[in-house]
Short mmCIF file of all heavy atoms in Angstrom, two decimals:
data_model
loop_
_atom_site.label_atom_id
_atom_site.label_comp_id
_atom_site.label_asym_id
_atom_site.label_seq_id
_atom_site.Cartn_x
_atom_site.Cartn_y
_atom_site.Cartn_z
N SER A 1 -6.38 -7.50 -3.56
CA SER A 1 -7.37 -8.44 -4.10
C SER A 1 -6.96 -9.88 -3.89
O SER A 1 -7.81 -10.78 -3.84
CB SER A 1 -7.57 -8.18 -5.60
OG SER A 1 -8.06 -6.88 -5.84
N SER A 2 -5.66 -10.12 -3.77
CA SER A 2 -5.18 -11.49 -3.57
C SER A 2 -5.48 -12.00 -2.17
O SER A 2 -5.42 -13.21 -1.92
CB SER A 2 -3.68 -11.58 -3.86
OG SER A 2 -2.94 -10.90 -2.85
N ALA A 3 -5.80 -11.06 -1.26
CA ALA A 3 -6.06 -11.47 0.13
C ALA A 3 -7.12 -10.58 0.75
O ALA A 3 -6.85 -9.86 1.72
CB ALA A 3 -4.77 -11.43 0.94
N PRO A 4 -8.34 -10.58 0.21
CA PRO A 4 -9.39 -9.71 0.76
C PRO A 4 -9.69 -10.05 2.21
O PRO A 4 -9.73 -11.23 2.58
CB PRO A 4 -10.60 -10.00 -0.14
CG PRO A 4 -10.33 -11.34 -0.73
CD PRO A 4 -8.84 -11.41 -0.89
N GLY A 5 -9.85 -9.02 3.02
CA GLY A 5 -10.12 -9.22 4.43
C GLY A 5 -8.90 -9.47 5.28
O GLY A 5 -8.98 -9.49 6.51
N THR A 6 -7.75 -9.63 4.64
CA THR A 6 -6.50 -9.86 5.37
C THR A 6 -5.75 -8.54 5.54
O THR A 6 -5.61 -7.78 4.58
CB THR A 6 -5.60 -10.85 4.60
OG1 THR A 6 -6.28 -12.09 4.47
CG2 THR A 6 -4.29 -11.07 5.34
N VAL A 7 -5.27 -8.28 6.73
CA VAL A 7 -4.52 -7.05 6.98
C VAL A 7 -3.12 -7.19 6.38
O VAL A 7 -2.40 -8.14 6.69
CB VAL A 7 -4.42 -6.76 8.49
CG1 VAL A 7 -3.60 -5.49 8.72
CG2 VAL A 7 -5.81 -6.62 9.10
N LEU A 8 -2.77 -6.25 5.52
CA LEU A 8 -1.45 -6.23 4.89
C LEU A 8 -0.65 -5.07 5.49
O LEU A 8 -1.08 -3.93 5.45
CB LEU A 8 -1.58 -6.06 3.38
CG LEU A 8 -2.46 -7.08 2.65
CD1 LEU A 8 -2.45 -6.81 1.15
CD2 LEU A 8 -1.99 -8.50 2.93
N SER A 9 0.51 -5.40 6.02
CA SER A 9 1.34 -4.36 6.64
C SER A 9 1.95 -3.46 5.58
O SER A 9 2.09 -3.84 4.42
CB SER A 9 2.44 -4.99 7.48
OG SER A 9 3.41 -5.62 6.64
N ARG A 10 2.33 -2.28 5.99
CA ARG A 10 3.00 -1.35 5.08
C ARG A 10 4.32 -1.94 4.58
O ARG A 10 4.68 -1.77 3.42
CB ARG A 10 3.23 -0.01 5.77
CG ARG A 10 1.94 0.76 6.05
CD ARG A 10 2.21 1.98 6.93
NE ARG A 10 1.02 2.79 7.11
CZ ARG A 10 0.08 2.54 8.03
NH1 ARG A 10 0.21 1.48 8.84
NH2 ARG A 10 -0.97 3.34 8.14
N ASP A 11 5.05 -2.62 5.47
CA ASP A 11 6.32 -3.23 5.05
C ASP A 11 6.10 -4.29 3.99
O ASP A 11 6.88 -4.40 3.03
CB ASP A 11 7.04 -3.84 6.26
CG ASP A 11 7.63 -2.78 7.18
OD1 ASP A 11 7.82 -1.64 6.72
OD2 ASP A 11 7.90 -3.10 8.35
N ARG A 12 5.05 -5.09 4.14
CA ARG A 12 4.77 -6.12 3.13
C ARG A 12 4.43 -5.46 1.79
O ARG A 12 4.89 -5.90 0.73
CB ARG A 12 3.62 -7.01 3.57
CG ARG A 12 3.12 -7.93 2.45
CD ARG A 12 2.07 -8.90 2.88
NE ARG A 12 1.45 -9.56 1.73
CZ ARG A 12 0.65 -10.61 1.81
NH1 ARG A 12 0.36 -11.13 2.99
NH2 ARG A 12 0.12 -11.14 0.73
N LEU A 13 3.63 -4.40 1.85
CA LEU A 13 3.26 -3.72 0.61
C LEU A 13 4.47 -3.06 -0.04
O LEU A 13 4.61 -3.09 -1.27
CB LEU A 13 2.16 -2.69 0.89
CG LEU A 13 0.81 -3.28 1.30
CD1 LEU A 13 -0.13 -2.19 1.77
CD2 LEU A 13 0.19 -4.07 0.15
N LEU A 14 5.36 -2.49 0.76
CA LEU A 14 6.58 -1.92 0.21
C LEU A 14 7.40 -2.99 -0.50
O LEU A 14 7.95 -2.76 -1.58
CB LEU A 14 7.43 -1.27 1.32
CG LEU A 14 7.05 0.13 1.77
CD1 LEU A 14 7.85 0.52 2.99
CD2 LEU A 14 7.28 1.14 0.64
N GLU A 15 7.48 -4.15 0.10
CA GLU A 15 8.29 -5.23 -0.48
C GLU A 15 7.66 -5.79 -1.75
O GLU A 15 8.34 -5.99 -2.76
CB GLU A 15 8.47 -6.35 0.54
CG GLU A 15 9.27 -7.52 0.01
CD GLU A 15 9.40 -8.64 1.01
OE1 GLU A 15 8.92 -8.49 2.16
OE2 GLU A 15 9.98 -9.68 0.66
N ARG A 16 6.35 -6.01 -1.75
CA ARG A 16 5.71 -6.71 -2.84
C ARG A 16 5.23 -5.80 -3.97
O ARG A 16 5.20 -6.22 -5.12
CB ARG A 16 4.57 -7.56 -2.31
CG ARG A 16 5.05 -8.71 -1.43
CD ARG A 16 3.90 -9.49 -0.83
NE ARG A 16 3.10 -10.15 -1.85
CZ ARG A 16 3.38 -11.36 -2.37
NH1 ARG A 16 4.45 -12.01 -1.98
NH2 ARG A 16 2.58 -11.90 -3.27
N VAL A 17 4.86 -4.58 -3.63
CA VAL A 17 4.39 -3.66 -4.66
C VAL A 17 5.52 -2.77 -5.16
O VAL A 17 5.68 -2.56 -6.37
CB VAL A 17 3.23 -2.80 -4.14
CG1 VAL A 17 2.78 -1.79 -5.20
CG2 VAL A 17 2.06 -3.69 -3.73
N TRP A 18 6.33 -2.25 -4.23
CA TRP A 18 7.43 -1.36 -4.63
C TRP A 18 8.75 -2.09 -4.82
O TRP A 18 9.74 -1.47 -5.18
CB TRP A 18 7.58 -0.24 -3.60
CG TRP A 18 6.59 0.86 -3.82
CD1 TRP A 18 6.79 2.01 -4.54
CD2 TRP A 18 5.23 0.91 -3.35
NE1 TRP A 18 5.64 2.76 -4.54
CE2 TRP A 18 4.67 2.12 -3.83
CE3 TRP A 18 4.45 0.06 -2.59
CZ2 TRP A 18 3.35 2.50 -3.55
CZ3 TRP A 18 3.15 0.42 -2.32
CH2 TRP A 18 2.60 1.62 -2.79
N ASP A 19 8.78 -3.39 -4.56
CA ASP A 19 9.98 -4.18 -4.77
C ASP A 19 11.14 -3.74 -3.89
O ASP A 19 12.29 -3.77 -4.29
CB ASP A 19 10.38 -4.13 -6.26
CG ASP A 19 11.34 -5.25 -6.64
OD1 ASP A 19 11.38 -6.26 -5.92
OD2 ASP A 19 12.05 -5.10 -7.64
N TYR A 20 10.82 -3.27 -2.69
CA TYR A 20 11.85 -2.88 -1.75
C TYR A 20 12.34 -4.10 -1.00
O TYR A 20 11.58 -4.72 -0.26
CB TYR A 20 11.32 -1.88 -0.73
CG TYR A 20 11.20 -0.45 -1.20
CD1 TYR A 20 11.33 -0.12 -2.54
CD2 TYR A 20 10.95 0.57 -0.30
CE1 TYR A 20 11.21 1.18 -2.97
CE2 TYR A 20 10.83 1.88 -0.72
CZ TYR A 20 10.96 2.18 -2.05
OH TYR A 20 10.84 3.47 -2.46
N GLY A 21 13.60 -4.43 -1.17
CA GLY A 21 14.20 -5.49 -0.39
C GLY A 21 14.81 -4.96 0.89
O GLY A 21 15.51 -5.67 1.60
N TRP A 22 14.53 -3.70 1.19
CA TRP A 22 15.06 -3.05 2.38
C TRP A 22 13.96 -2.15 2.92
O TRP A 22 12.92 -1.97 2.31
CB TRP A 22 16.30 -2.22 2.02
CG TRP A 22 16.02 -1.15 1.00
CD1 TRP A 22 15.65 0.15 1.23
CD2 TRP A 22 16.06 -1.29 -0.42
NE1 TRP A 22 15.47 0.82 0.05
CE2 TRP A 22 15.71 -0.03 -0.97
CE3 TRP A 22 16.35 -2.35 -1.27
CZ2 TRP A 22 15.65 0.17 -2.35
CZ3 TRP A 22 16.29 -2.12 -2.64
CH2 TRP A 22 15.96 -0.88 -3.16
N GLY A 23 14.19 -1.58 4.09
CA GLY A 23 13.20 -0.70 4.68
C GLY A 23 12.97 0.53 3.81
O GLY A 23 13.90 1.06 3.19
N GLY A 24 11.74 0.96 3.73
CA GLY A 24 11.41 2.14 2.94
C GLY A 24 10.49 3.07 3.71
O GLY A 24 10.06 2.77 4.82
N ASP A 25 10.21 4.20 3.11
CA ASP A 25 9.35 5.20 3.73
C ASP A 25 7.90 4.79 3.53
O ASP A 25 7.41 4.72 2.40
CB ASP A 25 9.63 6.56 3.08
CG ASP A 25 8.92 7.70 3.81
OD1 ASP A 25 7.95 7.45 4.54
OD2 ASP A 25 9.36 8.85 3.63
N THR A 26 7.20 4.55 4.62
CA THR A 26 5.83 4.08 4.51
C THR A 26 4.87 5.15 4.02
O THR A 26 3.72 4.84 3.69
CB THR A 26 5.32 3.54 5.87
OG1 THR A 26 5.44 4.58 6.86
CG2 THR A 26 6.14 2.33 6.29
N ARG A 27 5.32 6.41 3.95
CA ARG A 27 4.46 7.44 3.36
C ARG A 27 4.12 7.11 1.91
O ARG A 27 3.05 7.50 1.41
CB ARG A 27 5.14 8.81 3.44
CG ARG A 27 5.19 9.41 4.82
CD ARG A 27 5.91 10.74 4.83
NE ARG A 27 7.30 10.60 4.41
CZ ARG A 27 8.16 11.63 4.36
NH1 ARG A 27 7.76 12.84 4.70
NH2 ARG A 27 9.40 11.45 4.00
N VAL A 28 5.02 6.43 1.24
CA VAL A 28 4.76 6.02 -0.14
C VAL A 28 3.50 5.15 -0.19
O VAL A 28 2.63 5.33 -1.05
CB VAL A 28 5.96 5.25 -0.73
CG1 VAL A 28 5.64 4.72 -2.11
CG2 VAL A 28 7.18 6.16 -0.78
N VAL A 29 3.40 4.22 0.75
CA VAL A 29 2.22 3.35 0.81
C VAL A 29 0.98 4.15 1.18
O VAL A 29 -0.06 4.04 0.52
CB VAL A 29 2.44 2.22 1.84
CG1 VAL A 29 1.16 1.38 1.98
CG2 VAL A 29 3.61 1.35 1.45
N ASP A 30 1.09 4.98 2.21
CA ASP A 30 -0.08 5.71 2.70
C ASP A 30 -0.68 6.61 1.62
O ASP A 30 -1.90 6.65 1.45
CB ASP A 30 0.30 6.55 3.92
CG ASP A 30 0.70 5.70 5.11
OD1 ASP A 30 0.28 4.53 5.18
OD2 ASP A 30 1.46 6.20 5.97
N VAL A 31 0.18 7.32 0.90
CA VAL A 31 -0.33 8.23 -0.12
C VAL A 31 -0.97 7.45 -1.27
O VAL A 31 -2.02 7.83 -1.79
CB VAL A 31 0.79 9.16 -0.64
CG1 VAL A 31 0.30 9.98 -1.84
CG2 VAL A 31 1.26 10.09 0.46
N HIS A 32 -0.36 6.33 -1.67
CA HIS A 32 -0.93 5.54 -2.75
C HIS A 32 -2.25 4.89 -2.34
O HIS A 32 -3.17 4.77 -3.17
CB HIS A 32 0.06 4.48 -3.24
CG HIS A 32 1.04 4.99 -4.24
ND1 HIS A 32 2.15 5.70 -3.89
CD2 HIS A 32 1.04 4.93 -5.60
CE1 HIS A 32 2.82 6.03 -4.98
NE2 HIS A 32 2.17 5.58 -6.03
N VAL A 33 -2.36 4.49 -1.09
CA VAL A 33 -3.65 3.96 -0.62
C VAL A 33 -4.71 5.05 -0.69
O VAL A 33 -5.84 4.79 -1.12
CB VAL A 33 -3.52 3.40 0.81
CG1 VAL A 33 -4.91 3.13 1.40
CG2 VAL A 33 -2.70 2.12 0.81
N GLN A 34 -4.36 6.26 -0.29
CA GLN A 34 -5.32 7.36 -0.37
C GLN A 34 -5.73 7.64 -1.81
O GLN A 34 -6.92 7.88 -2.10
CB GLN A 34 -4.74 8.62 0.27
CG GLN A 34 -4.61 8.56 1.78
CD GLN A 34 -5.93 8.28 2.47
OE1 GLN A 34 -6.98 8.79 2.07
NE2 GLN A 34 -5.91 7.44 3.50
N ARG A 35 -4.75 7.62 -2.71
CA ARG A 35 -5.06 7.83 -4.13
C ARG A 35 -5.97 6.72 -4.66
O ARG A 35 -6.91 6.98 -5.43
CB ARG A 35 -3.77 7.89 -4.95
CG ARG A 35 -3.07 9.24 -4.87
CD ARG A 35 -1.68 9.22 -5.45
NE ARG A 35 -1.55 8.50 -6.70
CZ ARG A 35 -0.39 8.27 -7.30
NH1 ARG A 35 0.74 8.70 -6.74
NH2 ARG A 35 -0.33 7.62 -8.43
N LEU A 36 -5.69 5.49 -4.24
CA LEU A 36 -6.51 4.36 -4.68
C LEU A 36 -7.93 4.49 -4.14
O LEU A 36 -8.91 4.21 -4.85
CB LEU A 36 -5.86 3.05 -4.23
CG LEU A 36 -6.49 1.75 -4.73
CD1 LEU A 36 -6.53 1.70 -6.25
CD2 LEU A 36 -5.71 0.55 -4.17
N ARG A 37 -8.06 4.91 -2.89
CA ARG A 37 -9.39 5.08 -2.30
C ARG A 37 -10.24 6.08 -3.07
O ARG A 37 -11.45 5.88 -3.22
CB ARG A 37 -9.25 5.54 -0.85
CG ARG A 37 -8.94 4.43 0.15
CD ARG A 37 -8.64 5.02 1.51
NE ARG A 37 -8.62 4.01 2.55
CZ ARG A 37 -8.00 4.18 3.71
NH1 ARG A 37 -7.35 5.32 3.96
NH2 ARG A 37 -8.02 3.22 4.61
N THR A 38 -9.63 7.17 -3.52
CA THR A 38 -10.42 8.17 -4.25
C THR A 38 -10.98 7.61 -5.54
O THR A 38 -11.97 8.12 -6.06
CB THR A 38 -9.56 9.42 -4.57
OG1 THR A 38 -8.49 9.07 -5.45
CG2 THR A 38 -9.00 10.03 -3.29
N LYS A 39 -10.35 6.55 -6.05
CA LYS A 39 -10.78 5.98 -7.33
C LYS A 39 -11.73 4.80 -7.17
O LYS A 39 -12.61 4.60 -8.01
CB LYS A 39 -9.55 5.57 -8.15
CG LYS A 39 -8.66 6.75 -8.53
CD LYS A 39 -7.48 6.32 -9.41
CE LYS A 39 -6.64 7.51 -9.82
NZ LYS A 39 -5.53 7.12 -10.73
N ILE A 40 -11.55 4.01 -6.13
CA ILE A 40 -12.37 2.80 -6.00
C ILE A 40 -13.39 2.90 -4.87
O ILE A 40 -14.20 2.00 -4.67
CB ILE A 40 -11.50 1.54 -5.79
CG1 ILE A 40 -10.80 1.57 -4.43
CG2 ILE A 40 -10.49 1.38 -6.92
CD1 ILE A 40 -10.10 0.27 -4.07
N GLY A 41 -13.34 4.01 -4.11
CA GLY A 41 -14.28 4.20 -3.01
C GLY A 41 -13.55 4.30 -1.67
O GLY A 41 -12.73 3.45 -1.35
N GLN A 42 -13.86 5.35 -0.93
CA GLN A 42 -13.16 5.60 0.33
C GLN A 42 -13.36 4.48 1.34
O GLN A 42 -12.50 4.23 2.19
CB GLN A 42 -13.64 6.93 0.93
CG GLN A 42 -13.22 8.16 0.15
CD GLN A 42 -11.73 8.42 0.22
OE1 GLN A 42 -11.03 7.92 1.10
NE2 GLN A 42 -11.22 9.22 -0.71
N ASP A 43 -14.52 3.80 1.27
CA ASP A 43 -14.81 2.76 2.26
C ASP A 43 -14.39 1.36 1.81
O ASP A 43 -14.67 0.38 2.50
CB ASP A 43 -16.31 2.76 2.59
CG ASP A 43 -17.17 2.47 1.36
OD1 ASP A 43 -16.63 2.49 0.23
OD2 ASP A 43 -18.39 2.24 1.54
N ARG A 44 -13.71 1.26 0.67
CA ARG A 44 -13.35 -0.06 0.15
C ARG A 44 -12.11 -0.61 0.86
O ARG A 44 -11.96 -1.83 1.00
CB ARG A 44 -13.11 0.03 -1.36
CG ARG A 44 -12.82 -1.28 -2.06
CD ARG A 44 -13.85 -2.33 -1.79
NE ARG A 44 -15.21 -1.90 -2.11
CZ ARG A 44 -16.29 -2.54 -1.71
NH1 ARG A 44 -16.18 -3.61 -0.95
NH2 ARG A 44 -17.49 -2.09 -2.04
#
């Protein structure tokens, strides 16, 4: 929501949402995005 229309990389999301200061498994991001889509709309 802070940057609608802006592409956010998985690494950025890992750093800012999961507080990873190091490389992490991007599956964490992918699964949470899918979970979020089921709640706010698949096309959002």
Side-chain angles (χ1 to χ4, degrees):
S1 299
S2 70
T6 300
V7 179
L8 305 182
S9 70
R10 292 171 174 84
D11 287 341
R12 170 175 169 169
L13 292 171
L14 278 172
E15 178 182 357
R16 293 176 64 86
V17 177
W18 279 266
D19 198 21
Y20 281 12
W22 59 92
D25 189 340
T26 57
R27 288 178 298 182
V28 175
V29 176
D30 295 336
V31 173
H32 276 80
V33 168
Q34 290 302 321
R35 280 169 43 186
L36 187 57
R37 280 172 168 158
T38 64
K39 296 183 178 183
I40 68 171
Q42 292 291 341
D43 61 349
R44 184 53 55 194

